[in-house]
Amino acid sequence: MNTFLPVTQIQIPSGFIDLGIGDPQLSLLPIELIRQGAENCFAQNDLSFLQYGAEQGNGYFRLALAKFLSAGYGSPVEPESLFVTSGVSSGLDLICTLFTQPGDTIFVEEPTYFLALRIFADHGLRLVPIPTDEEGLVLDALEEKLAEIRPKFLYLIPAFQNPSGHTLTQERRERLVELCQERDFLIVADEVYHFLNYSLQPPKAFAAYSGVRNVISLGSFSKILAPGLRLGWMQAELSRIEHLVTCGLLDSGGGMNPFTSAIVRGIIENGELEKHILSLKTTYSARLATMDAALRRYLPGARYTIPQGGYFFWLRLPRDADAEELLTKANEFKVSFRPGIRFSSQGGLRQYVRLSFSFYESQEIEEGVKRLRQTLEKKVTWYNPHL
Amino acid sequence: MNTFLPVTQIQIPSGFIDLGIGDPQLSLLPIELIRQGAENCFAQNDLSFLQYGAEQGNGYFRLALAKFLSAGYGSPVEPESLFVTSGVSSGLDLICTLFTQPGDTIFVEEPTYFLALRIFADHGLRLVPIPTDEEGLVLDALEEKLAEIRPKFLYLIPAFQNPSGHTLTQERRERLVELCQERDFLIVADEVYHFLNYSLQPPKAFAAYSGVRNVISLGSFSKILAPGLRLGWMQAELSRIEHLVTCGLLDSGGGMNPFTSAIVRGIIENGELEKHILSLKTTYSARLATMDAALRRYLPGARYTIPQGGYFFWLRLPRDADAEELLTKANEFKVSFRPGIRFSSQGGLRQYVRLSFSFYESQEIEEGVKRLRQTLEKKVTWYNPHL
């Protein structure tokens, strides 16, 4: 059998360092915790986690998750406000199915998470980009657009944004929550990096505003436990939860991941999830520092803000080089990255690249940045009249 | 904490027998097989099943599934033609997102699976019912409708249909495959009961025609292993698979259930799935015989065809009683069922009920049918002039 049988989503050619990958490193996935969580489930002799699950998600899992989130956010979360998903992508997909029609307009940050753009495209949505700065979404620009058109929703990543790393300030969050009520549009806040904070305690999560009918917060275990579990959650106002819970997909298939949520429930209840997140933060902080040092050393002409959480550096290339041109040359040096244009809903951001420090250890991060420098130098030689 | 914390999708009031439930009985879920499958995964020290999975599904899982299906269907299945889903419901949802627009027309069987109707409704689809008889979909009626309108797809359950129990004949299958090419519409075949055959070897599965671009076959582990795993598959022509695999939802979240598919892979590879299905068939055959005997004894006026596979009896009530009226009275006798109207896309089938023999053991099945008789008798007294 010569068939190619991929197991994981991304395969990296041997010897390559792809600094674009926004996945956790395999060795950071806590297999022993998950093995123990599974073993506990099987030992209980209660088979209900193998049955069609409650549409909103296993009640005891939501209770455990609510306690975890209450501690993490520093504000109370009720299990009734939580809805279990198969991850943020499935949550976004469901929101699009239930709350939009093809041709509807939504607002997205510029830059934004390029794979969310793909989900929105599958639902035929029209995207209007709203500029961002170092404090996140620019509200004046948002208000200008709101004067022209009311979007079905605004999709944003408020903490340690993908790709920019920026965090929306507390002041802007509050104004945004006012605006979504005044102008009646939905805020869909993808808060997947909220708990991966290193040098900044992020402002109040949008989850804390989810008593407001127009605010939905999305969370996930992909970044804080393991992506393969396909487990996440939404937090929303009760009538919104009711709408989600009674939809056809759930009525038919039952809750989204009864088996994996039963496994994760134990990991939360025994406090291991919190410990694991602390250990991830230590690891990622060190890698972030390494990447920062390597960038200063090898790419002093690149401009960026040091991220304070999450997975990503967002660089403006030295001499405003074109990232897509650079990418074709990077192959030769066995290095890769994600060009900025992929994060633009309007084909812009060509001088930017996203680098991730989640997937590699410090030594490879340094080597990867060094190879980026070689790639840039190779390019530059063509323009250097002295050679 | 007084909060109600449901774990499973259906909660049955104490003492009740709900013969409407189309779930497998908890005790039929093979926890030991799944525990062993999980243990094997954890023992391999390969963490890739915890990572974002390949969009099409784990390649080795697809290879194992292809071998299992090749044996089961008696015709070769290639791993390239398989796409891993989170179950039939998620597959239907994805098909609606990618291949339809709100306002599009689709054809469904009358009667059909009521929860699929809910998914179609969420996608804003217009439903046109096509009548069925004991040989499945009535093709003359289909051709008449096709002369008026081309549907985006025809949704059907070709083997041991839910709720009717009927199986589409080989002859009709072949003509249907011709028609979908002549008139260019998609066949979405929900083949979830295909392997639960008791007294009839079903005709060639639509999976066997999935080399035809307009045929998609949906399968699931919910009925042959455990619903809580949220694991199923689609089989389709390669360009169709390519469309599914490159959609936004998968590009973002990766393959649909890498963790549970790695667990199930081992259960297939060691032959335990086949053995388990044989044991299910023995159990369900016995329950079917019990329900048939109980119906003959207690409800001799009910009309039905003895099902030859699947989960369901589809009864026409004695004296054409109204099933919804009966349902309100059934409460008093602590018995329940699904009234026919729920399986109609046009509010018909009021004299029918669906009974399932998957969820209860023989003794309860008999007791449940006896209670149905009591319910019917109570109703009849009102009309009996001699009392």
Side-chain angles (χ1 to χ4, degrees):
Chain A
M1 168 74 65
N2 288 315
T3 319
F4 172 57
L5 298 168
V7 173
T8 53
Q9 190 172 24
I10 294 181
Q11 289 85 36
I12 305 152
S14 165
F16 250 76
I17 297 175
D18 183 356
L19 294 177
I21 298 178
D23 294 1
Q25 187 183 19
L26 267 189
S27 64
L28 295 178
L29 303 178
I31 189 166
E32 184 48 32
L33 285 189
I34 297 167
R35 194 195 61 70
Q36 191 62 52
E39 202 174 276
N40 293 346
C41 276
F42 287 112
Q44 277 169 14
N45 253 342
D46 169 8
L47 295 100
S48 55
F49 70 120
L50 300 177
Q51 184 60 286
Y52 287 106
E55 289 87 348
Q56 193 172 346
N58 180 316
Y60 295 94
F61 170 69
R62 285 187 290 109
L63 184 61
L65 179 59
K67 283 183 184 164
F68 165 78
L69 293 175
S70 298
Y73 292 144
S75 65
V77 174
E78 299 300 328
E80 293 76 10
S81 68
L82 297 172
F83 166 81
V84 179
T85 68
S86 307
V88 167
S89 308
S90 85
L92 285 176
D93 187 58
L94 192 58
I95 287 171
C96 291
T97 298
L98 298 182
F99 302 132
T100 73
Q101 299 263 337
D104 281 349
T105 296
I106 63 165
F107 288 179
V108 297
E109 294 170 289
E110 173 82 358
T112 190
Y113 171 49
F114 62 103
L115 295 174
L117 296 181
R118 297 280 325 278
I119 295 175
F120 303 146
D122 285 343
H123 285 273
L125 300 177
R126 291 186 48 236
L127 305 180
V128 172
I130 308 292
T132 58
D133 61 21
E134 299 210 346
E135 300 192 339
L137 202 73
V138 177
L139 294 194
D140 287 347
L142 173 68
E143 295 203 49
E144 248 172 61
K145 282 290 174 199
L146 282 172
E148 290 167 30
I149 187 166
R150 184 169 69 89
K152 273 293 161 74
F153 65 80
L154 161 68
Y155 169 70
L156 83 169
I157 305 167
F160 316 120
Q161 205 242 14
N162 178 1
S164 73
H166 297 148
T167 294
L168 191 69
T169 60
Q170 177 67 32
E171 198 188 344
R172 290 193 187 180
R173 289 174 190 233
E174 280 166 18
R175 177 68 188 130
L176 199 48
V177 171
E178 284 169 13
L179 273 174
C180 80
Q181 296 172 89
E182 289 167 23
R183 308 294 180 87
D184 194 21
F185 63 91
L186 194 57
I187 293 175
V188 177
D190 178 349
E191 310 211 84
V192 73
Y193 303 105
H194 187 91
F195 294 118
L196 291 180
N197 60 307
Y198 316 130
S199 55
L200 171 79
Q201 182 64 42
K204 221 158 111 178
F206 276 91
Y209 300 101
S210 66
V212 172
R213 184 166 155 72
N214 276 352
V215 176
I216 296 181
S217 164
L218 296 170
S220 170
F221 289 95
S222 292
K223 310 297 179 193
I224 57 177
L225 202 60
L229 298 172
R230 303 319 302 137
L231 193 64
W233 67 90
M234 284 195 214
Q235 191 176 337
E237 191 258 345
L238 298 189
S239 70
R240 194 71 78 177
I241 293 283
E242 181 65 19
H243 189 154
L244 294 163
V245 163
T246 56
C247 78
L249 176 63
L250 291 154
D251 202 6
S252 176
M256 280 196 171
N257 234 333
F259 180 71
T260 60
S261 54
I263 293 173
V264 172
R265 174 188 160 195
I267 301 172
I268 300 176
E269 283 176 348
N270 65 16
E272 292 292 346
L273 179 62
E274 279 180 356
K275 279 192 226 162
H276 177 65
I277 292 174
L278 280 178
S279 127
L280 285 178
K281 285 163 71 165
T282 306
T283 304
Y284 288 142
S285 296
R287 293 181 180 185
L288 183 158
T290 302
M291 185 169 269
D292 181 38
L295 288 169
R296 285 169 202 266
R297 178 169 172 195
Y298 293 112
L299 296 177
R303 278 177 291 157
Y304 58 90
T305 320
I306 300 173
Q308 298 174 297
Y311 273 12
F312 308 109
F313 278 77
W314 180 240
L315 303 188
R316 188 166 180 129
L317 288 171
R319 291 171 296 274
D320 280 348
D322 183 292
E324 285 206 296
E325 271 182 42
L326 195 68
L327 192 58
T328 56
K329 289 171 186 58
N331 214 30
E332 184 184 329
F333 296 94
K334 298 195 172 182
V335 66
S336 194
F337 53 84
R338 296 290 170 278
I341 195 172
R342 296 196 63 183
F343 303 89
S344 172
S345 53
Q346 49 185 4
L349 304 167
R350 306 183 73 92
Q351 305 77 26
Y352 288 86
V353 306
R354 187 192 78 176
L355 303 182
S356 164
F357 49 88
S358 63
F359 194 76
Y360 289 103
E361 304 202 14
S362 292
Q363 207 181 332
E364 288 161 308
I365 289 174
E366 194 169 338
E367 173 63 22
V369 175
K370 196 169 149 190
R371 293 183 190 177
L372 270 186
R373 160 67 173 260
Q374 293 167 333
T375 311
L376 263 165
E377 278 176 347
K378 160 117 183 177
K379 182 174 151 56
V380 166
T381 55
W382 298 356
Y383 297 99
N384 189 334
H386 303 295
L387 282 181
Chain B
M1 168 72 66
N2 287 316
T3 321
F4 172 57
L5 298 169
V7 173
T8 53
Q9 191 173 21
I10 293 181
Q11 288 84 37
I12 306 152
S14 164
F16 249 76
I17 298 176
D18 183 356
L19 294 177
I21 298 177
D23 294 0
Q25 187 183 20
L26 267 189
S27 64
L28 296 177
L29 305 177
I31 189 166
E32 184 49 32
L33 285 189
I34 297 167
R35 193 195 62 71
Q36 191 63 52
E39 201 173 277
N40 293 347
C41 275
F42 287 111
Q44 278 168 14
N45 253 342
D46 169 7
L47 294 102
S48 56
F49 71 119
L50 300 176
Q51 185 60 286
Y52 287 105
E55 290 86 348
Q56 194 173 344
N58 179 316
Y60 295 93
F61 170 69
R62 285 188 289 110
L63 185 61
L65 179 59
K67 283 183 184 165
F68 165 79
L69 294 175
S70 298
Y73 293 143
S75 66
V77 174
E78 298 301 327
E80 293 76 8
S81 69
L82 297 171
F83 166 81
V84 179
T85 68
S86 306
V88 166
S89 309
S90 86
L92 285 176
D93 187 59
L94 192 58
I95 287 171
C96 291
T97 299
L98 298 182
F99 302 132
T100 74
Q101 298 264 337
D104 280 349
T105 295
I106 62 165
F107 288 179
V108 297
E109 294 169 290
E110 174 82 359
T112 190
Y113 171 48
F114 63 103
L115 296 174
L117 296 181
R118 297 281 325 277
I119 295 174
F120 303 145
D122 286 342
H123 285 274
L125 301 177
R126 291 185 49 235
L127 305 180
V128 172
I130 308 292
T132 58
D133 60 22
E134 299 211 346
E135 300 192 340
L137 203 73
V138 176
L139 294 195
D140 288 345
L142 172 68
E143 295 203 50
E144 246 172 63
K145 283 290 174 199
L146 282 171
E148 290 167 30
I149 186 166
R150 185 168 68 89
K152 274 293 160 73
F153 64 81
L154 161 67
Y155 169 71
L156 84 169
I157 306 167
F160 316 120
Q161 203 240 16
N162 179 2
S164 74
H166 297 149
T167 294
L168 192 70
T169 60
Q170 177 66 32
E171 197 189 345
R172 290 193 187 180
R173 287 174 192 233
E174 280 166 19
R175 177 70 189 127
L176 199 48
V177 171
E178 283 169 14
L179 272 174
C180 81
Q181 296 171 89
E182 287 168 25
R183 308 294 180 88
D184 194 21
F185 62 91
L186 195 57
I187 292 176
V188 177
D190 178 350
E191 310 212 83
V192 73
Y193 303 105
H194 187 90
F195 294 118
L196 290 180
N197 59 307
Y198 316 132
S199 54
L200 172 79
Q201 183 63 40
K204 221 158 109 178
F206 277 89
Y209 301 100
S210 66
V212 173
R213 184 166 154 72
N214 275 351
V215 176
I216 297 182
S217 163
L218 296 170
S220 170
F221 289 96
S222 291
K223 312 296 181 194
I224 57 176
L225 202 60
L229 298 171
R230 304 318 303 135
L231 194 63
W233 67 91
M234 284 196 215
Q235 191 177 336
E237 191 258 346
L238 298 189
S239 70
R240 193 71 78 176
I241 293 283
E242 181 64 18
H243 188 153
L244 293 163
V245 164
T246 55
C247 78
L249 177 62
L250 291 153
D251 201 5
S252 176
M256 279 199 172
N257 235 332
F259 180 72
T260 60
S261 54
I263 292 173
V264 172
R265 175 190 159 195
I267 300 172
I268 300 176
E269 284 176 347
N270 65 16
E272 293 292 348
L273 179 61
E274 280 180 356
K275 280 191 225 163
H276 177 64
I277 292 175
L278 280 179
S279 127
L280 284 178
K281 284 163 72 165
T282 307
T283 304
Y284 288 143
S285 295
R287 292 181 182 186
L288 183 159
T290 301
M291 186 170 269
D292 181 37
L295 288 169
R296 285 170 201 267
R297 176 168 174 197
Y298 294 112
L299 296 178
R303 278 177 292 159
Y304 58 89
T305 320
I306 300 173
Q308 298 174 296
Y311 272 12
F312 307 110
F313 277 75
W314 179 240
L315 304 188
R316 188 164 178 132
L317 288 172
R319 292 172 295 275
D320 280 350
D322 184 291
E324 284 206 298
E325 270 181 44
L326 196 68
L327 191 58
T328 57
K329 287 172 187 58
N331 214 29
E332 185 184 326
F333 296 95
K334 296 194 173 182
V335 66
S336 195
F337 54 83
R338 295 293 171 272
I341 196 172
R342 296 196 62 182
F343 302 89
S344 172
S345 54
Q346 49 186 3
L349 304 168
R350 306 184 73 94
Q351 303 79 25
Y352 287 85
V353 304
R354 185 192 79 176
L355 304 183
S356 164
F357 50 88
S358 63
F359 194 74
Y360 289 104
E361 305 202 13
S362 291
Q363 205 181 335
E364 288 161 308
I365 288 174
E366 194 170 336
E367 173 63 23
V369 174
K370 194 169 149 192
R371 292 183 190 177
L372 271 186
R373 157 70 170 258
Q374 292 166 336
T375 310
L376 264 165
E377 277 176 347
K378 159 116 185 179
K379 183 173 152 51
V380 168
T381 56
W382 299 357
Y383 296 98
N384 190 332
H386 302 295
L387 283 181

